[in-house]
């Protein structure tokens, strides 16, 4: 091949390369694509923008576009026609895959059951004291050991009391007299015996002996004298406690006091008597709260017909408080709590999920009362609600609960003008200035209007490789598509090295 032939071949190859480059440039910038870009930009500018926000911090609003001071991404516009679309839409197949379950809110009375422990003691209302109002000598004890069971009228002790003996003899003599004057003194003699404190069931024997009997059936819990002892007036002889009922002292937490009052039914079980359930009622709530345990003591009266319950036993108690008035009831697992107010996720008639702030009451058996926020009949999410709540925070649905969509925070505007306030902890101002490029600073200082910038395409920040020719919501996430501007592409293209 001659030198002239080689030159002709090189020239032909060069012309082919130039033609290919020109054709590629024309194809990449065809009139149809440019027209579509212009149309997309025009449609974006035709929609009214209420404010701009960062999808990672939807509670912060900005009055102009630009890059987010928190993430290296563009702020998203919130359009007026989107403000009316509250809630989140989830396809039925996705709900099934996520295990979402909804239930209908029903009104009812929450039968809260309170379970506490307590200790059994004597019923002090069934306690009697046997003593004498005169000086006496204990001649004989018929009950010698404490905690012996006695019957009503059973002899307890025989004593010699001169004052009682004289009064009894005088009353006996006046009772046998037939004169009118003696009969007039019979009433005075009986009053003297009552004043001396002679028990009505006491009996006088020969030699001035007086036998004292038990006033009730029960247990002699204390003996204060011994045989042969000389005791002054007022000395305790016997303490007799009834056993037909016993007291149960229970410490109830303050949160469980609601609905408990005098007459509340009680069931108790004792390990010493397995299989037996003892029934009783709350007699009173003691007007005192323990400052350490923050509990209030309740005095409970238990029936003890067979005398199986004795003081000192430990009992497990179940109380049934008054149910109160009807309220909407929801599963406790449906509540979403945190730093803010408690809320539930409600499925509306338009098949969209919305967060609703509620005020809760008592909880029992896995259900919680709703005092405010729901009326009954709504359908709430009982499982999988945390996924919806996270998406609601991402899309700003919770922000629309307390403020209108057109509201704007002046503090957010100041923060957008000074992104140094939102820099991460540990980064000083010097580091912040180094991390911010001149192009970023220019976008914050004087951002151009949306209609002045040429939009190349729209994309989902979570899937940036997917491009769209018009704005709207992403088919992958419930968030707005982000515009990709031509000047951003030019600024990010590296300059060729010489």
């Amino acid at each position: 091949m001659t030198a002239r032939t080689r030159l002709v071949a090189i020239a032909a190859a060069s012309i082919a390369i130039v033609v290919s480059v020109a054709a590629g440039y024309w194809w990449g910038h065809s009139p149809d694509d440019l027209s579509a870009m212009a149309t997309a930009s025009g449609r974006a500018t035709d929609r009214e923008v209420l404010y701009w926000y960062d999808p990672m911090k939807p509670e912060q609003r900005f009055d102009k576009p630009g890059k987010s001071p928190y993430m290296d991404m563009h702020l998203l516009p919130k359009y007026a026609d989107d403000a009316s679309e509250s809630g989140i839409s989830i396809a039925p197949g996705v709900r099934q895959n996520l295990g979402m379950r909804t239930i209908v809110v029903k009104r009812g009375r929450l039968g809260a059951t309170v379970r506490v422990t307590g200790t059994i003691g004597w019923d002090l209302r069934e306690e009697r004291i046997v003593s004498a109002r005169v000086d006496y000598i204990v001649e004989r004890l018929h009950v010698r050991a404490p905690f012996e069971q006695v019957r009503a009228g059973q002899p307890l002790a025989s004593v010699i009391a001169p004052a009682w003996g004289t009064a009894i003899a005088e009353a006996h003599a006046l009772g046998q007299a037939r004169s009118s004057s003696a009969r007039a003194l019979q009433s005075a003699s009986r009053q003297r015996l009552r004043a001396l404190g002679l028990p009505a069931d006491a009996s006088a024997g020969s030699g001035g002996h007086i036998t004292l009997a038990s006033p009730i059936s029960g247990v002699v819990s204390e003996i204060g004298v011994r045989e042969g002892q000389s005791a002054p007036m007022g000395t305790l002889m016997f303490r007799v406690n009834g056993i037909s009922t016993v007291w149960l002292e229970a410490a109830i937490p303050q949160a469980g006091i609601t609905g408990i009052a005098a007459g509340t039914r009680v069931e108790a079980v004792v390990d010493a008597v397995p299989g037996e359930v003892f029934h009783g009622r709350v007699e009173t709530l003691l007007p005192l709260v323990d400052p350490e345990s923050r509990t209030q003591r309740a005095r409970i009266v238990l029936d003890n017909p067979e005398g199986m319950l004795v003081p000192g036993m430990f009992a497990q108690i179940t109380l049934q408080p008054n149910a109160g008035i009807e309220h909407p009831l929801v599963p406790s697992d449906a509540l979403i709590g945190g730093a803010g107010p408690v809320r539930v996720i409600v499925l509306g008639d338009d098949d969209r999920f919305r967060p609703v702030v509620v005020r809760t009451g008592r909880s029992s058996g896995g259900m919680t009362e709703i005092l405010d926020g729901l009326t009954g009949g709504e359908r709430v999410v009982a499982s999988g609600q945390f996924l919806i709540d996270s998406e609601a925070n991402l899309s700003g649905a919770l922000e629309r609960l307390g403020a209108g969509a057109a509201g704007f925070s002046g503090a957010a505007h100041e923060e957008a003008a000074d992104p140094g306030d939102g820099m991460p902890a540990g980064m000083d101002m010097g580091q912040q200035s180094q991390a911010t490029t001149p192009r970023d600073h220019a976008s914050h200082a004087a951002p151009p209007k949306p209609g002045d910038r040429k939009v190349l395409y729209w994309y989902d920040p979570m899937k940036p490789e997917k491009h769209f020719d018009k704005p709207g919501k992403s088919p992958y996430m419930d968030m707005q598509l982000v515009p990709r501007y031509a000047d951003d592409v030019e600024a990010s293209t590296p300059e060729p090295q010489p």
Side-chain angles (χ1 to χ4, degrees):
M1 182 180 294
T2 63
R4 182 171 181 173
T5 304
R6 285 197 299 270
L7 291 177
V8 172
I10 293 174
S14 300
I15 294 173
I17 293 174
V18 171
V19 172
S20 299
V21 171
Y25 181 81
W26 177 85
W27 177 265
H29 296 79
S30 62
D32 294 339
D33 290 343
L34 294 177
S35 176
M37 295 178 186
T39 303
S41 178
R43 279 197 298 264
T45 56
D46 292 341
R47 304 174 67 186
E48 180 185 358
V49 177
L50 298 178
Y51 56 88
W52 301 75
Y53 69 98
D54 185 337
M56 300 296 105
K57 294 181 71 69
E59 67 276 6
Q60 296 292 342
R61 301 176 180 179
F62 306 89
D63 62 345
K64 53 188 176 182
K67 281 205 171 182
S68 170
Y70 311 106
M71 301 289 291
D72 188 17
M73 60 186 300
H74 284 282
L75 299 174
L76 299 181
K78 177 60 67 175
Y79 297 105
D81 51 0
D82 289 338
S84 59
E85 297 181 3
S86 60
I88 299 171
S89 178
I90 301 178
V94 177
R95 299 180 196 177
Q96 183 177 3
N97 294 336
L98 295 178
M100 292 183 182
R101 181 174 57 90
T102 61
I103 65 167
V104 178
V105 178
K106 297 181 179 180
R107 298 182 63 89
R109 292 180 174 88
L110 188 63
T113 300
V114 179
R115 291 182 173 85
V116 293
T117 58
T119 305
I120 296 175
W122 296 117
D123 185 350
L124 298 183
R125 300 189 187 278
E126 298 295 328
E127 184 178 88
R128 298 294 184 271
I129 300 295
V130 178
S131 64
R133 297 182 185 178
V134 296
D135 297 338
Y136 60 92
I137 298 173
V138 180
E139 184 182 30
R140 182 183 177 186
L141 289 177
H142 299 284
V143 178
R144 298 175 179 272
F147 299 104
E148 286 190 17
Q149 289 193 10
V150 296
R151 303 180 309 274
Q154 179 179 335
L156 297 178
S158 297
V159 301
I160 299 175
W164 279 351
T166 303
I168 291 174
E170 180 182 313
H172 182 71
L174 291 174
Q176 294 180 350
R178 296 182 178 180
S179 62
S180 58
S181 59
R183 287 196 298 270
L185 294 175
Q186 290 178 0
S187 176
S189 65
R190 288 193 295 269
Q191 291 180 0
R192 183 185 178 189
L193 290 175
R194 287 193 296 269
L196 291 175
L198 182 66
D201 52 1
S203 60
S206 60
H209 297 100
I210 301 174
T211 302
L212 301 179
S214 174
I216 61 172
S217 298
V219 175
V220 178
S221 59
E222 184 178 355
I223 300 177
V225 294
R226 290 299 171 188
E227 284 188 1
Q229 177 181 346
S230 176
M233 60 180 298
T235 301
L236 182 144
M237 299 178 66
F238 299 94
R239 187 190 304 273
V240 183
N241 291 97
I243 58 174
S244 60
T245 58
V246 292
W247 277 359
L248 186 58
E249 297 284 341
I252 303 177
Q254 283 184 300
I257 287 295
T258 304
I260 298 178
T264 300
R265 293 178 301 168
V266 177
E267 294 181 352
V269 294
V270 181
D271 294 339
V273 191
E276 291 288 337
V277 178
F278 300 90
H279 301 274
R281 69 189 186 283
V282 175
E283 184 181 67
T284 184
L285 287 174
L286 304 184
L288 181 64
V289 175
D290 189 337
E292 295 183 358
S293 62
R294 310 308 303 173
T295 57
Q296 187 171 358
R297 302 190 70 82
R299 179 180 297 160
I300 300 169
V301 179
L302 290 180
D303 297 328
N304 188 29
E306 299 181 8
M308 292 185 291
L309 300 178
V310 296
M313 282 185 173
F314 191 75
Q316 302 285 342
I317 310 165
T318 302
L319 298 96
Q320 299 291 338
N322 297 329
I325 62 176
E326 289 188 350
H327 289 287
L329 303 179
V330 301
S332 301
D333 293 339
L335 301 175
I336 302 173
V342 179
R343 54 192 179 271
V344 296
I345 303 299
V346 176
L347 178 60
D349 296 336
D350 56 353
D351 205 36
R352 299 180 69 87
F353 296 91
R354 296 175 179 83
V356 176
V357 176
V358 296
R359 184 164 61 92
T360 59
R362 298 180 301 163
S363 297
S364 177
M367 302 296 289
T368 300
E369 291 178 338
I370 302 299
L371 305 180
D372 190 18
L374 299 176
T375 59
E378 299 91 343
R379 183 172 290 275
V380 300
V381 180
S383 63
Q385 67 274 18
F386 291 97
L387 299 175
I388 305 176
D389 185 62
S390 300
E391 184 64 24
N393 278 283
L394 187 65
S395 62
L398 292 179
E399 287 300 306
R400 292 194 289 271
L401 287 174
F408 176 75
S409 171
H413 171 68
E414 296 176 0
E415 187 171 358
D418 185 10
D421 294 341
M423 63 183 179
M427 180 181 289
D428 57 19
M429 295 300 294
Q431 294 172 331
Q432 174 70 14
S433 61
Q434 293 175 3
T436 304
T437 63
R439 180 172 54 86
D440 294 338
H441 179 74
S443 64
H444 287 289
K449 297 181 181 180
D452 297 339
R453 306 177 67 185
K454 184 172 67 174
V455 178
L456 297 181
Y457 55 85
W458 301 76
Y459 68 98
D460 186 334
M462 302 295 104
K463 286 183 170 292
E465 68 278 3
K466 299 294 184 180
H467 298 173
F468 304 89
D469 61 350
K470 58 183 179 180
K473 283 194 175 182
S474 170
Y476 309 106
M477 299 288 292
D478 190 14
M479 60 187 298
Q480 294 290 335
L481 297 175
V482 180
R484 186 66 167 175
Y485 297 107
D487 50 0
D488 291 338
V489 176
E490 296 174 358
S492 60
T493 302
E495 297 180 0
Q497 299 295 330

